[in-house]
Amino acid sequence: MGHENKCATAHGHNYYAHLFAEGESLDNIGRIIDFSVIKEKIGGWINENWDHTFLVWERDTQTIDALMSIPRNQDPFICPFNPTAENMALYLLHEVCPKLLKDSGVIITKVILYETDNCYATAEIT
């Protein structure tokens, strides 16, 4: 919402994310966390909430109304933020990942969200 160029029109992307995990210690086979756990928890959340749907800012009522008026298999994901790659990376880092990995001893310290092969946003705990 509010983009000044061609991206002002509702459109989609095929994102992919790189997540950086840290923990206090390695488990008994030498890892912070099994990659399949990250894929299941965080990848599963992304598939359930963001995949094959529109992400739309809660303030963009015109787009929300238009999306809700057409037949769909999944409701749009109503974001508390404007869904830029930067904001999506921050949301994953500060909201989604901590909730999904709570009590695991693992934290995601960095998210790189690729919008295209050469355009990405990075969010990092400093």
Side-chain angles (χ1 to χ4, degrees):
M1 182 174 169
H3 197 284
E4 65 279 353
N5 292 317
K6 67 181 180 178
C7 289
T9 302
H11 64 284
H13 291 282
N14 293 316
Y15 292 96
Y16 61 96
H18 287 178
L19 307 173
F20 295 74
E22 290 185 14
E24 290 291 320
S25 61
L26 302 178
D27 67 11
N28 61 351
I29 59 173
R31 13 165 237 203
I32 296 293
I33 191 169
D34 187 345
F35 290 138
S36 68
V37 174
I38 298 286
K39 288 179 187 177
E40 177 187 321
K41 289 183 179 280
I42 299 168
W45 185 93
I46 290 169
N47 286 339
E48 184 177 319
N49 292 279
W50 286 359
D51 192 31
H52 288 92
T53 193
F54 272 91
L55 279 68
V56 60
W57 192 8
E58 63 191 3
R59 295 183 189 175
D60 190 353
T61 56
Q62 186 176 22
T63 299
I64 293 169
D65 290 345
L67 290 169
M68 299 305 269
S69 72
I70 58 175
R72 63 200 176 281
N73 292 326
Q74 185 174 348
D75 286 340
F77 184 86
I78 309 300
C79 303
F81 55 86
N82 201 5
T84 63
E86 294 84 352
N87 286 335
M88 292 167 65
L90 286 166
Y91 189 74
L92 287 172
L93 182 68
H94 293 295
E95 299 295 328
V96 175
C97 293
K99 288 177 186 167
L100 296 176
L101 297 176
K102 184 179 179 183
D103 300 325
S104 70
V106 174
I107 61 167
I108 300 301
T109 58
K110 183 176 179 179
V111 173
I112 302 175
L113 190 68
Y114 287 83
E115 193 169 285
T116 67
D117 287 340
N118 60 353
C119 295
Y120 59 89
T122 301
E124 189 169 6
I125 295 174
T126 53

